[in-house]
Amino acid sequence: SAYFGSTTSAESRELCGRWGDYMDYLEAPAYDCLPAEYQAKGYETAAFHAFWGAFFDRTDWFPRIGFQKLFFQEQLRNSSFVETGKTCGLTFKGLCDFDVADAVEAYLKEQAGKPKFVYWLTLNTHLPLEKGIATPRLDCETGGPFDDWTVCSMTEMWMDLMYRVREMALTPALKDTRILVVGDHHPPVWTRQGRRQFEAGEVAWLSLKPTTDAAKDQVATGPLSQKN
């Protein structure tokens, strides 16, 4: 998917279907965005992030685009999901993404009597990175398969997150949940070798459908192995 700008520009792109950033959502009391559309259809809408809600005014504009419940660092730091005083990250020191993941999964499993739309913005893979925070899989001390320590370490962190999302997707209580994983922007890697690892102007996304949906698609279009 094509991208423009940084993280709040990606939020505008994915949640509201328009180019812009958070400044575009600070005037009107409500905006026609995806969370608002889901709310209008009877969904309960919530947003999760490991950093403070005041950062980029998310506490202000997230409700304007349709989020009913907000779970930022200030709401989650004293919860049962977070060890007292535990933080992750360097420049943006906040909660740990895996603790927030536990909160997201628990929220999705709660019986609210209505379907849910949940947005989870990760934090800890933002540069600069903490050393030793990811599961060592790729021999990153020597640069790994990317010949670049930063890209390799980020990839290990992304792999950990993907495995955690996989756990959620395979949880029986969440078997009907559709999951979209999407990048916001290129990481500001400092080396030419690192920057060359990424397609210019594009970010990746991955859509996970419930197996019931996949089976329906297979009936309609033929074997899944033949689909791109």
Side-chain angles (χ1 to χ4, degrees), residues 105-164:
E105 182 173 348
Y107 174 77
L108 285 170
K109 289 179 177 178
E110 289 177 1
Q111 298 299 318
K114 57 174 63 176
K116 297 176 181 178
F117 174 83
V118 175
Y119 168 59
W120 170 30
L121 171 64
T122 59
L123 175 69
N124 305 155
T125 53
H126 199 290
L127 295 175
L129 301 175
E130 286 184 274
K131 283 202 170 187
I133 195 172
T135 304
R137 309 174 193 269
L138 302 175
D139 191 25
C140 288
E141 288 299 325
T142 62
F146 308 96
D147 195 27
D148 185 281
W149 178 87
T150 299
V151 174
C152 187
S153 296
M154 275 193 301
T155 302
E156 287 184 334
M157 296 175 76
W158 292 333
M159 291 172 74
D160 282 348
L161 283 168
M162 290 296 185
Y163 276 108
R164 185 66 184 91

Side-chain angles (χ1 to χ4, degrees), residues 142-152 189-198:
T142 62
F146 308 96
D147 195 27
D148 185 281
W149 178 87
T150 299
V151 174
C152 187
V189 182
W190 299 314
T191 64
R192 291 181 181 176
Q193 171 66 17
R195 289 194 295 272
R196 282 199 294 265
Q197 310 294 322
F198 300 93

Side-chain angles (χ1 to χ4, degrees), residues 53-72:
F55 194 58
F56 290 128
D57 292 328
R58 288 188 175 95
T59 301
D60 187 355
W61 66 276
F62 269 24
R64 297 172 189 250
I65 65 171
F67 285 117
Q68 297 165 297
K69 296 188 176 184
L70 305 178
F71 298 94
F72 298 124

Side-chain angles (χ1 to χ4, degrees), residues 161-162 165 179-183 204-208:
L161 283 168
M162 290 296 185
V165 170
I179 299 173
L180 175 67
V181 182
V182 61
W205 58 268
L206 173 70
S207 177
L208 303 178

